[in-house]
Amino acid sequence: MIRSSVTISLVPEARGGPFVFWDDLENACQTAKKLEFDAVEIFAPSPDVLQSSAVSIALADNGLALAAVGTGAGWVKHKLHLSLPNASDRQKAKDFIKSMIEAGAVHKAPAIIGSMQGRHGDGVDQATAMNYLADALEELGEYAAQQGVILIYEPLNRFETNLVNTIESGLHLLDRLSTRNVKLLADLFHMNIEEVSIADAIRQGGSQIGHVHFVDSNRRPAGNGHIDLSSVSAALAEIKYQGYISAEALPWPDSTAAAKRTIDSFNLYFRN
Ligand code: LER
Ligand code: MN
């Protein structure tokens, strides 16, 4: 069954980013429960925060699952990513992601590699950066498998990475790996910028799509922009998608209203 989720950021450095709830974990989880979300996705500053009793208690008290954990704090806080020129910096990036994989796995939640993929430039050419990224996904994908979770890799729009911008190039990257434990994240905001057709790209991604970021063309909550959500819903039904539809949107006009609009759109398009 497709399940609903909503994002919570606990990373002050990510302020202004596309997260529905901010800072107050307990209050966010209470609102998510009230609106009948199945789960939350947490963007945490460190593995320690994810492993804190505050997280376990907020999830348990509100009957919420943890849909996924973001790893982008490695970039926004520590300026680490997987395509850096220096091997010891790439190792630090991998170690940070491994610690987030472990912390998520306690709650059976996969980690997401989005901004931590990095970009080419600064003395690293495109082919070399893609090799670094593929090597890292191979290693981290297997590491996640040992923890009993998948690893989620997210193509981003051209303003956020120059490595992989579409589902098709994401599929090519996964094809290079021997691990089958890395799945793609279909973020509707990035796809609206980069894909010829969001629905066709979802169909092409098929069983390789492991997570969805639910958001509209202007990064407002789904239903507040011009993405054709019925074609997205039809394509996800066609590929028999069974994962989370997780709201990663701006808190517009405010967090609670954004969450409400999201769950209304979710119920309209994904609950028949
Ligand atoms: C960033 O644009 C994004 O979509 C996140 O999910 C990944 O960092
Ligand atoms: Mn995203």
Side-chain angles (χ1 to χ4, degrees):
M1 191 177 66
I2 286 182
R3 282 159 298 170
S4 59
S5 164
V6 61
T7 49
I8 306 171
S9 172
L10 304 176
V11 181
E13 291 86 346
R15 277 236 155 264
F19 302 99
V20 173
F21 290 107
W22 284 88
D23 308 329
D24 186 346
L25 176 72
E26 211 180 294
N27 193 42
C29 288
Q30 283 168 6
T31 308
K33 179 201 169 124
K34 243 182 260 160
L35 292 172
E36 299 185 4
F37 278 91
D38 298 308
V40 293
E41 175 179 323
I42 301 182
F43 191 71
S46 69
D48 298 355
V49 167
L50 281 172
Q51 278 159 331
S52 67
S53 56
V55 168
S56 307
I57 292 169
L59 294 174
D61 280 359
N62 295 291
L64 294 164
L66 187 60
V69 301
T71 62
W75 169 241
V76 297
K77 279 182 84 75
H78 306 295
K79 296 296 164 226
L80 293 170
H81 65 68
L82 297 171
S83 311
L84 288 168
N86 186 298
S88 80
D89 291 335
R90 293 198 300 280
Q91 188 59 47
K92 283 185 202 147
K94 279 192 279 188
D95 290 343
F96 182 82
I97 293 168
K98 281 184 182 175
S99 68
M100 295 299 253
I101 290 172
E102 285 166 28
V106 172
H107 297 281
K108 302 192 183 343
I112 297 170
I113 296 183
S115 56
M116 283 298 275
Q117 68 195 275
R119 43 175 51 243
H120 67 80
D122 288 337
V124 179
D125 63 28
Q126 171 144 32
T128 306
M130 288 301 287
N131 288 340
Y132 289 157
L133 179 58
D135 288 351
L137 291 181
E138 190 80 82
E139 181 180 338
L140 296 168
E142 275 310 291
Y143 191 78
Q146 287 159 19
Q147 313 279 321
V149 286
I150 58 167
L151 179 67
I152 298 172
Y153 170 72
E154 180 173 21
L156 301 173
N157 76 68
R158 67 191 66 190
F159 305 106
E160 297 185 38
T161 187
N162 50 18
L163 296 178
V164 174
N165 302 129
T166 61
I167 293 291
E168 185 177 27
S169 18
L171 289 170
H172 287 145
L173 178 58
L174 298 198
D175 274 350
R176 294 176 54 173
L177 311 180
S178 54
T179 177
R180 298 288 98 203
N181 199 45
V182 183
K183 300 290 172 199
L184 296 179
L185 198 166
D187 179 315
L188 303 184
F189 172 76
H190 299 304
M191 293 176 79
N192 178 63
I193 294 171
E194 298 295 345
E195 305 289 356
V196 175
S197 154
I198 298 178
D200 286 349
I202 288 171
R203 281 188 281 268
Q204 189 183 9
S207 61
Q208 295 301 91
I209 293 182
H211 197 70
V212 172
H213 275 160
F214 194 41
V215 55
D216 223 313
S217 48
N218 44 15
R219 241 177 186 174
R220 289 178 179 181
N224 286 310
H226 59 68
I227 291 180
D228 176 9
L229 295 172
S230 48
S231 72
V232 169
S233 152
L236 287 167
E238 222 174 287
I239 66 167
K240 300 190 169 39
Y241 180 70
Q242 294 293 310
Y244 283 103
I245 302 277
S246 189
E248 188 189 63
L250 296 168
W252 183 91
D254 58 64
S255 293
T256 304
K260 172 81 173 89
R261 182 66 200 248
T262 290
I263 201 72
D264 287 347
S265 291
F266 177 85
N267 288 331
L268 183 62
Y269 292 104
F270 297 101
R271 285 273 179 273
N272 303 311

